[in-house]
Amino acid sequence: MFRNAQQLMLFSTAVVLFVTACLYGQQLIKTMTDALNNTTQFTVEMEGRMNTTLRTTEPKRYSGAEVLHTVRQMTGTSITVEVDGQAHLVDPLINRKKTIPVQLNGSYRPEFIRDEWGGLMRIQFWKEASVH
């Protein structure tokens, strides 16, 4: 009889530990999901306003389509976007058909103008001559 009671206690302990581990795992998954959702929401709210300090050794080139996308993404921010020296403001919510004069297949060199603290003030795109 004593042996059966001991086995029942061990089995009960194992069941309690298993259920506790399952509940703890479920709580961890919920916490990780909440953290991921909060990070995603924070990143969405910061769209176009993040400062980067990455420096590349080779200047990046943008296609005309990327320039159009950048202009539309920066609308509504305090950051001015210029293409070939002309500032453009395209608000897709007000006028979806308004566009800027860029060649979609063209190559544009970006210049990021920053203040003394590293904050982005203006983006300039300059068209490069094609070699065809």
Side-chain angles (χ1 to χ4, degrees), residues 11-124:
F11 179 75
S12 298
T13 303
V15 168
V16 168
L17 287 175
F18 178 76
V19 170
T20 304
C22 289
L23 292 174
Y24 183 71
Q26 185 179 15
Q27 182 64 30
L28 280 179
I29 289 173
K30 182 183 180 308
T31 302
M32 289 174 39
T33 302
D34 290 344
L36 182 61
N37 289 338
N38 290 339
T39 302
T40 302
Q41 183 64 31
F42 180 76
T43 304
V44 167
E45 292 172 358
M46 291 299 293
E47 173 104 19
R49 295 178 185 87
M50 287 192 246
N51 297 330
T52 59
T53 57
L54 178 65
R55 302 287 186 246
T56 57
T57 57
E58 186 178 311
K60 184 173 171 119
R61 301 293 186 249
Y62 285 76
S63 70
E66 290 173 316
V67 171
L68 284 174
H69 179 73
T70 301
V71 170
R72 288 184 181 268
Q73 288 294 316
M74 300 309 272
T75 298
T77 67
S78 62
I79 300 168
T80 305
V81 180
E82 296 179 4
V83 179
D84 291 331
Q86 294 181 343
H88 293 280
L89 179 66
V90 178
D91 192 346
L93 298 177
I94 295 173
N95 187 354
R96 297 184 76 200
K97 295 182 181 182
K98 185 176 179 184
T99 184
I100 58 175
V102 296
Q103 294 177 355
L104 294 180
N105 295 333
S107 178
Y108 291 83
R109 179 179 44 85
E111 288 183 16
F112 300 95
I113 312 301
R114 299 182 180 277
D115 60 15
E116 58 270 11
W117 297 285
L120 186 61
M121 296 178 2
R122 181 174 59 231
I123 303 174
Q124 296 176 329

